[in-house]
Amino acid sequence: MKKVVAIVDEDCFFQHMISNVLKASNEFELGKVYTTAEEAMELVESPADIVFVEIALPGISGIELIKVLHQNSAIQCIIYSKNKEDVHILSALESGASGYILKEAREQEINGALNELKNGGAPMSPYISKRVISFFQQTENKVQSTILSEREMQVLQLLAKGLPYKQIAESLYISSETVKRHLHNIYHKLGVQNKIEAINKLNLLQDRNISKH
């Protein structure tokens, strides 16, 4: 049985492009075509398996529509938009979109996205995939660099310069025992076993931060 695919987009050109893909498919068929999110709200109760949604719609946005469909139905939503802005990519995925295809995609990529979704994947245009990976990398770096307190970062940076515990203590006006306690906490937070691993982790974070600028 073919999966029913709906479209929510006021642009006739892109409506026809998706329709052409579906007409040539043995796996999917065209359902209803909507030009506004308000009209498409009926998808909550209408039979459709997949819906292509443009973000920029008159009235309610495509992202708001996806939130409603995700919360109230089993329909899988694919963003189909020219929008490449990070804030919209994140908002769409957080709202429940199962994929994100840019409108520069050709019919072959649209067909591939449908099949990937059917097989349990999360279809994305190459640019979108790259941005999503970047989000995760930035989040990892931010988490690892902020889990250490300011004092712990100072201790680790001095340790990386080769200073012994006594000199670190003197530089920071603390005791050697306090330095050791800070190092114990640093090892635990970074998931490392010794000062060499901790320094390597610090260098890795700094290298990643430099590469962003």
Side-chain angles (χ1 to χ4, degrees):
M1 185 175 178
K2 291 185 176 182
K3 287 189 174 293
V4 177
V5 181
I7 302 171
V8 187
D9 194 333
E10 63 176 343
D11 192 316
C12 293
F13 175 81
F14 294 107
Q15 290 176 6
H16 290 314
M17 181 180 287
I18 296 174
S19 297
N20 289 337
V21 172
L22 297 173
K23 288 176 183 177
S25 174
N26 294 320
E27 302 289 334
F28 307 94
E29 64 181 359
L30 180 62
K32 287 190 175 183
V33 178
Y34 305 91
T35 57
T36 69
E38 286 85 348
E39 294 174 355
M41 288 294 179
E42 72 172 36
L43 285 169
V44 170
E45 298 181 357
S46 297
D49 301 293
I50 299 168
V51 57
F52 281 97
V53 182
E54 165 62 85
I55 290 177
L57 295 169
I60 299 174
S61 74
I63 291 175
E64 290 302 315
L65 171 63
I66 288 174
K67 285 182 183 178
V68 173
L69 296 179
H70 181 66
Q71 293 170 0
N72 298 282
S73 73
I75 297 174
Q76 293 180 290
C77 302
I78 301 177
I79 287 291
Y80 184 55
S81 178
K82 294 179 181 179
N83 199 308
K84 296 182 178 181
E85 294 182 14
D86 289 355
V87 63
H88 289 112
I89 297 171
L90 284 176
S91 294
L93 298 177
E94 288 173 352
S95 296
S98 299
Y100 199 122
I101 303 298
L102 294 174
K103 281 188 170 178
E104 61 197 41
R106 298 187 176 183
E107 293 184 3
Q108 184 177 1
E109 186 176 344
I110 295 171
N111 185 60
L114 286 167
N115 282 299
E116 184 176 349
L117 188 64
K118 181 184 177 184
N119 293 325
M124 296 183 193
S125 293
Y127 175 84
I128 302 300
S129 296
K130 185 177 180 180
R131 294 305 306 145
V132 170
I133 291 171
S134 177
F135 299 149
F136 281 113
Q137 290 174 337
Q138 290 171 16
T139 299
E140 178 188 3
N141 291 345
K142 183 177 180 181
V143 169
Q144 291 183 331
S145 62
T146 57
I147 57 176
L148 298 183
S149 68
E150 182 178 353
R151 177 65 84 190
E152 288 166 348
M153 282 297 296
Q154 291 172 342
V155 170
L156 185 54
Q157 288 168 344
L158 291 174
L159 188 68
K161 291 180 180 179
L163 272 64
Y165 293 169
K166 184 178 180 182
Q167 282 186 254
I168 293 174
E170 291 173 353
S171 298
L172 298 177
Y173 301 101
I174 57 179
S175 69
S176 295
E177 287 302 314
T178 300
V179 171
K180 292 178 183 179
R181 284 198 298 272
H182 282 313
L183 287 174
H184 175 78
N185 292 335
I186 289 168
Y187 297 165
H188 177 72
K189 289 181 178 180
L190 294 181
V192 297
Q193 300 297 320
N194 52 57
K195 67 179 182 180
I196 300 300
E197 291 182 4
I199 292 170
N200 288 339
K201 199 71 168 280
L202 174 66
N203 291 335
L204 178 62
L205 291 173
Q206 291 176 334
D207 288 344
R208 286 179 176 175
N209 288 331
I210 290 173
S211 68
K212 295 178 190 176
H213 301 292

